[in-house]
Structure formats: C-alpha cells, structure tokens
Amino acid sequence: MDEQEFFRSVAASTGLGREEAADLTRATLQTLAQRLSEGTVRDLALRLPDGLDEVVRGIKGRPSKQVGLENAEEKVRERTGLRLDEVHAGFAAVLATLREAVPEATYAKVVGQLPHQFRDLVDEPT
C-alpha cells in the first residue's frame, strides 16, 4: 500500500474528500505517535508507506493509557477543522487502514500502547 492508497482507503471509509482524508490521516498518525514509545514510533516510521513515514518520524511520545480517545480526537479536530463525528470516523478508518498497511507485529505494538478505546474503534460494528 502506498501513501495515496492509504488516503483513498480513509476517504472511502469516512466519506471525506481526498484532501480532507489526507489531512485527517496525517493529524491522526501524529497524534497517535505522541502516545507511543520512541522505539514504537521508529518501528512505525520504518513500516509506513513513503511520505507517511515522515509524518511520525522524530516524534517523541510517551505511552499513556491515561490520555484517552476524546482528548486525541479533540486535538485532531483542532488541527483539521473537521467535525468531531468526522474525526471519530477518521480514527477508526486510519487504524483499520494502518492494520492493513503495516506488519501485524507493528500494528500490535502500536495498539498495545494505546488505551482500549482506540482498539475498540476498529472492532466497532458499522
């Protein structure tokens, strides 16, 4: 999967336009990376499609199961100007697409460092 396919997948899942989906994807990946250990961020950067790797490379985060989904969604909403329902759908779409785009072990490390609400998004019935 390349960067454009990632954006198309998020756009298709959310109903957003390609540019909005690209902005949402970048903001979501950065927000997620801020909640991960440096080693996991490095691994994620190595596994993401070209272009998206630069979005997370160098982010120094800290794993925190205390900072939940609502806080993360608000940060992305502020950065993108999208509505909260669009951002919520975007988090689910980015995580689902990430699960397809990176090796299973990398995805497991990422979601393993996040509060359960993030994992639950991917498993929510549609």
Side-chain angles (χ1 to χ4, degrees), residues 8 11 21-22 29 54-55 60 63 66 69 80 87 89 118 121 123:
R8 280 193 293 275
L29 288 172
E54 296 171 15
V55 170
K60 299 206 183 317
Q66 306 305 312
L69 180 61
T80 62
V87 171
F118 290 86
L121 277 178
D123 298 326

Side-chain angles (χ1 to χ4, degrees), residues 6-16 21 89-90 92-94 96-97 100 126:
F6 202 109
F7 296 152
R8 280 193 293 275
S9 176
V10 172
S13 295
T14 60
L16 295 172
V94 169
T97 304
E100 296 174 19
T126 53

Side-chain angles (χ1 to χ4, degrees), residues 3-26 80 82-83 86 90 93-94:
E3 179 185 47
Q4 296 306 312
E5 290 172 308
F6 202 109
F7 296 152
R8 280 193 293 275
S9 176
V10 172
S13 295
T14 60
L16 295 172
R18 199 196 71 73
E19 285 302 315
E20 288 175 315
D23 291 344
L24 176 66
T25 298
R26 290 183 190 104
T80 62
L82 295 170
R83 297 186 322 259
E86 293 170 324
V94 169

Side-chain angles (χ1 to χ4, degrees), residues 24 69-78 80-92 121:
L24 176 66
L69 180 61
E70 281 185 28
N71 175 271
E73 288 178 338
E74 182 59 28
K75 288 187 181 310
V76 171
R77 186 198 64 76
E78 289 171 2
T80 62
L82 295 170
R83 297 186 322 259
L84 277 175
D85 63 313
E86 293 170 324
V87 171
H88 184 77
F91 262 89
L121 277 178

